[in-house]
Amino acid sequence: MNPLLYTDGYKVDHRRQYPTGTGLVYSNWTPRKSRIEGVDKVVFFGLQYFIKKYIISDFDKRFFSQPKEEVCRKYARRINNYLGENSVGVSHIEALHDLGYIPMVIKALPEGVSTPIRVPQFTMYNTLPQFFWLTNYFETLLSTTVWMPSNSATLAKRYRDILDQYAEETSTIPDFVDWQGHDFSMRGMAGLEAASISGAGHLLSFSGTDTIPAIDFLEKYYNADSDTEIVGGTVAATEHSVMCMGTDAGERETFRRLISEVYPKGVVSIVSDTWDLWKVLDEYLPEMKEEILGRDGKVVIRPDSGDPVDILCGNPAGKNETEVKGVIESLWDTFGGTVNEKGFKELDPHIGAIYGDSITLERAEDICQRLKVKGFASTNVVLGIGSFTYQYNTRDTFGFAMKATYGEVAGAGREIFKDPVTDDGTKKSAKGLLKVVKEGDEYVLVDQVDWEEEGKGELKEVFRDGKILVDHSLSEIRERLRNG
């Protein structure tokens, strides 16, 4: 498809709606509110992908390298069939094709930084006056591409903050947090692109993932190299079909075969609630204790149903002693471990647990807190973070919006803004040309500046006239994110 059709239908004729003589439109991308408790800053991530994939690659392949007559014929056919009788025309499309590149400037903060609500993460404007219509024409494509990786990177960082905090308080292996948040979301995402861009956002804060396409995404668009760095990884793991095929009566033997024959060393995660989790904890694992402790590796027990907080930490109203104790205490009673220098119990390194169903930010914190109260280190368990976290959100989770705040008509600048009287203030925009400065460690917006001041802030050119000027690497972005 012609990438000029990657837009909302109402935008195709805005070119003629702007005042006569319009020569510049200047817009910004800003998170305007947070609907997530405890999150007041938003991670910036995904613009580099947008530029490389759409503004450069797709336009080169599907617009500029195609015959102009064919491009314009298809564009006109779509608009005429879609809009009916109209005067949109194709002269502006022909002019862009003749130019051969996208005449825009994009200025951005470094990807991986966290910005307060209402601070712009990037701005964009046209470099040639006849293409003023392009700036906000890109709003739809830009928005549909960038909000999700930023959302997911922000949510992953919140998980990371929680897990880091409890690891600092209770554990002697804080580096394990790299693997403690594991991306299980791919099957619940809205297609492969959503899975890839969201999974990449997760990998800014963690190394554990089952979303393989996210690794390729980061290699292609963010200069990662899985041969020389850990981009993302996982361990051998079963699913219910494997356990079911071994039959209920043969479950004990399935466990033994996996532990001793299929995976005699290394990490293996075994889904353990296909039938009776408590039986696995009470009977199978004690019987295999010596085999497990004698392995060169770890056996990870994976419950997959019920309330994860109660399953892992214990349910006082449980129907049996093991349910009252919960998975972690039960594993401790069977396999033991050490009491670390902070006074918390760490399971023997040959055994562990993962819970990958129904994890939320609130439950992650509850699990860590209840383990702490019981005297266990938070790093005794891995949490699988799924599509409820990463897909069950929208652009409005952080109120992302691209809004024009400045324009030029007949060469004269106009500071423009919106401030709906019927709104609660969320939709009130900045005004005029924008500058973002740092006050201490905080990004702060200054609006209504002149062009000289606009060029002095933290927003730096990353794209101009068809060329990418800044090309971040995954390692750089991870370092920025983790160092605040």
Side-chain angles (χ1 to χ4, degrees):
M1 182 185 291
N2 177 350
L4 283 174
L5 295 171
Y6 297 163
T7 192
D8 283 317
Y10 80 116
K11 286 187 175 290
V12 298
D13 205 22
H14 286 176
R15 177 181 62 92
R16 296 192 306 136
Q17 297 173 17
Y18 282 104
T20 300
T22 298
L24 186 139
V25 176
Y26 175 102
S27 293
N28 71 93
W29 173 258
T30 302
R32 299 178 297 180
K33 70 185 301 180
S34 173
R35 299 176 187 268
I36 304 295
E37 185 176 353
V39 177
D40 58 3
K41 292 183 179 180
V42 180
V43 177
F44 173 38
F45 179 60
L47 176 64
Q48 184 165 296
Y49 165 64
F50 169 79
I51 292 171
K52 288 184 176 182
K53 170 68 169 68
Y54 293 107
I55 301 301
I56 295 177
S57 179
D58 272 24
F59 267 94
D60 283 348
K61 293 178 182 177
R62 297 172 182 171
F63 184 74
F64 294 120
S65 67
Q66 300 299 314
K68 180 170 66 174
E69 295 75 15
E70 185 69 8
V71 166
C72 292
R73 184 188 66 79
K74 289 182 177 180
Y75 184 88
R77 175 179 178 271
R78 175 56 59 237
I79 299 306
N80 293 340
N81 288 347
Y82 169 68
L83 194 59
E85 184 177 349
N86 66 81
S87 300
V88 172
V90 294
S91 60
H92 56 307
I93 309 300
E94 292 173 334
L96 181 62
H97 193 282
D98 289 341
L99 183 66
Y101 62 87
I102 298 298
M104 301 289 300
V105 164
I106 301 176
K107 294 183 176 181
L109 298 176
E111 294 199 33
V113 302
S114 298
T115 65
I117 300 301
R118 307 197 74 84
V119 172
Q121 296 178 335
F122 62 87
T123 60
M124 59 191 297
Y125 58 92
N126 56 292
T127 58
L128 295 174
Q130 64 268 41
F131 298 106
F132 68 90
W133 57 273
L134 268 179
T135 303
N136 269 34
Y137 196 99
F138 278 129
E139 176 189 5
T140 309
L141 176 58
L142 193 153
S143 180
T144 196
T145 305
V146 175
W147 73 257
M148 178 172 276
S150 292
N151 268 25
S152 296
T154 303
L155 294 167
K157 184 179 186 299
R158 179 59 184 148
Y159 275 103
R160 179 80 196 210
D161 289 344
I162 292 169
L163 297 174
D164 276 342
Q165 173 194 334
Y166 281 94
E168 177 66 25
E169 294 172 1
T170 67
S171 176
T172 58
I173 48 172
D175 289 348
F176 183 72
V177 177
D178 284 349
W179 300 94
Q180 197 179 5
H182 195 95
D183 181 12
F184 279 165
S185 67
M186 183 173 176
R187 70 189 60 187
M189 303 304 290
L192 284 172
E193 183 179 34
S196 298
I197 61 180
S198 172
H202 172 90
L203 287 172
L204 301 189
S205 289
F206 297 104
S207 298
T209 184
D210 265 47
T211 305
I212 293 174
I215 301 171
D216 284 72
F217 174 94
L218 287 167
E219 288 194 324
K220 183 171 184 178
Y221 295 107
Y222 284 90
N223 302 300
D225 183 355
S226 60
D227 291 329
T228 60
E229 62 183 323
I230 296 175
V231 179
T234 191
V235 302
T238 71
E239 67 175 15
H240 286 292
S241 71
V242 172
M243 309 309 289
C244 289
M245 199 67 77
T247 75
D248 183 1
E251 187 180 27
R252 177 187 277 102
E253 179 54 33
T254 298
F255 266 83
R256 191 179 301 279
R257 186 172 68 87
L258 290 166
I259 292 168
S260 300
E261 299 177 22
V262 182
Y263 301 104
K265 63 179 181 178
V267 183
V268 57
S269 171
I270 304 176
V271 64
S272 304
D273 69 333
T274 304
W275 295 286
D276 189 341
L277 172 65
W278 314 122
K279 188 175 184 179
V280 170
L281 293 168
D282 286 340
E283 297 181 20
Y284 301 169
L285 296 183
E287 290 175 10
M288 302 177 197
K289 177 179 177 179
E290 297 309 316
E291 294 171 66
I292 291 172
L293 292 178
R295 290 178 75 253
D296 179 15
K298 178 184 285 191
V299 173
V300 180
I301 301 305
R302 179 183 152 209
D304 196 41
S305 55
D307 184 317
V309 185
D310 286 343
I311 299 296
L312 291 170
C313 305
N315 181 1
K319 298 176 182 177
N320 58 62
E321 183 182 355
T322 308
E323 187 175 355
V324 172
K325 291 190 298 185
V327 171
I328 301 302
E329 186 177 351
S330 177
L331 293 176
W332 173 267
D333 287 348
T334 299
F335 296 95
T338 59
V339 178
N340 65 33
E341 59 194 32
K342 299 176 182 178
F344 293 92
K345 297 173 182 175
E346 295 181 350
L347 288 170
D348 185 284
H350 294 89
I351 194 73
I354 182 171
Y355 203 106
D357 182 72
S358 302
I359 298 298
T360 64
L361 287 167
E362 294 75 18
R363 283 175 168 168
E365 187 147 22
D366 285 349
I367 289 165
C368 292
Q369 178 61 26
R370 283 183 58 180
L371 287 176
K372 179 182 177 181
V373 169
K374 292 185 69 168
F376 286 94
S378 61
T379 48
N380 283 307
V381 65
V382 172
L383 301 178
I385 304 168
S387 58
F388 184 87
T389 288
Y390 290 135
Q391 183 66 59
Y392 209 73
N393 291 281
T394 71
R395 180 177 66 97
D396 293 325
T397 299
F398 297 112
F400 280 115
M402 179 177 166
K403 297 300 173 187
T405 59
Y406 177 84
E408 292 179 357
V409 179
R414 294 185 179 182
E415 293 183 335
I416 59 178
F417 70 101
K418 63 178 289 187
D419 187 11
V421 69
T422 52
D423 183 53
D424 62 1
T426 298
K427 293 187 175 183
K428 181 179 180 180
S429 71
K431 185 176 183 180
L433 295 172
L434 311 179
K435 179 171 72 169
V436 175
V437 299
K438 289 197 81 171
E439 296 183 357
D441 292 330
E442 201 77 275
Y443 288 102
V444 177
L445 166 65
V446 182
D447 64 355
Q448 294 186 272
V449 300
D450 58 25
W451 276 112
E452 182 179 358
E453 285 299 308
E454 191 267 353
K456 292 180 179 179
E458 299 295 321
L459 295 164
K460 307 298 184 183
E461 286 194 15
V462 297
F463 174 88
R464 177 181 282 269
D465 291 342
K467 293 181 171 56
I468 191 165
L469 305 177
V470 176
D471 200 358
H472 300 293
S473 70
L474 170 63
S475 60
E476 293 168 348
I477 294 172
R478 279 175 165 171
E479 183 176 359
R480 273 189 214 108
L481 181 64
R482 295 179 186 182
N483 291 337

